[in-house]
Amino acid sequence: ERTMMTVFGQRDSINMSHTVRSVSFGEPYPGLVNPLDGMHKIIDKGSGYFQYNMKVVPTIYKQRRGREVHTNQYSFTEIFRTTAETDRLPAVFFNYELSPIMATFTETSRGLGNFLTGLCAIVGGVFTLSGVVDALIFHLFAHQHGPSGMTA
C-alpha cells in the first residue's frame, strides 16, 4: 500500500506553488471581474496548504437592447498555513458557497438632455469660480496699492 508520504517523502518537500488561470461561474458580461484569474502563489521554502473560499452571487445583467445574461460573480478569501503550523497534508482547496441574494445590473445610458444639463453645470461652475478668483485678486491688489491704484 503506497501512501502520499511514501511517494513524496517528507510533506515539507511537496511544493504547492500554483497559478490559477481562470475561475468563473457562468457567462461573462461587460465589467465582470473574476478576482482569482491570474493568481500566482509561489512557495520558496517548505510547504503548506492553500484554501480559497468563494462566495458565489447569482447575477442578472440586463443589456440596453433587452438581452439578459444570467450568470454569477464571486468574491473570495484565502487562507495559507504551512505544514509546520498544522497537521495537514499540502494541498490547494477551492470551496464555494452560493449566496441566497441575487444581484441585478442594468446597462443604461444618459440621454442627450442629461448630458447637456451636466455640461451646462460644469461650464457655469467654471465661470462662477473664475469670477470669484478675479474678484479676490482685484480686492487684494486694491488693498495693497490704496484707492488710487498707486503704491503708497
Side-chain angles (χ1 to χ4, degrees):
E1 178 178 311
R2 298 179 79 185
T3 65
M4 196 167 164
M5 285 303 134
T6 59
V7 173
F8 291 105
Q10 297 292 337
R11 64 182 178 171
D12 288 343
S13 66
I14 302 172
N15 190 333
M16 293 309 298
S17 297
H18 60 280
T19 299
V20 179
R21 297 201 190 281
S22 178
V23 175
S24 62
F25 296 91
E27 186 179 344
Y29 61 87
L32 175 66
V33 175
N34 293 320
L36 279 173
D37 288 2
M39 175 80 66
H40 300 285
K41 295 294 178 176
I42 306 297
I43 299 178
D44 294 325
K45 186 174 140 184
S47 191
Y49 79 93
F50 293 87
Q51 184 172 331
Y52 297 100
N53 297 308
M54 296 173 282
K55 183 80 159 187
V56 180
V57 179
T59 304
I60 298 175
Y61 181 80
K62 296 180 180 181
Q63 295 179 334
R64 266 184 269 169
R65 290 177 236 111
R67 181 174 177 258
E68 289 187 358
V69 178
H70 292 261
T71 187
N72 299 281
Q73 58 184 325
Y74 69 92
S75 61
F76 78 97
T77 58
E78 66 179 287
I79 298 170
F80 172 74
R81 298 286 185 262
T82 65
T83 51
E85 293 176 273
T86 67
D87 195 27
R88 289 186 167 194
L89 290 174
V92 178
F93 295 101
F94 293 89
N95 303 316
Y96 67 92
E97 177 184 342
L98 293 175
S99 172
I101 297 173
M102 177 178 281
T104 301
F105 296 100
T106 304
E107 190 177 77
T108 60
S109 64
R110 292 177 63 169
L112 182 61
N114 284 341
F115 172 74
L116 291 176
T117 301
L119 184 62
C120 289
I122 291 169
V123 171
V126 168
F127 276 114
T128 302
L129 186 59
S130 63
V132 169
V133 169
D134 180 55
L136 182 64
I137 291 172
F138 175 78
H139 287 302
L140 286 174
F141 182 75
H143 180 68
Q144 286 181 345
H145 297 288
S148 65
M150 299 170 65
T151 49

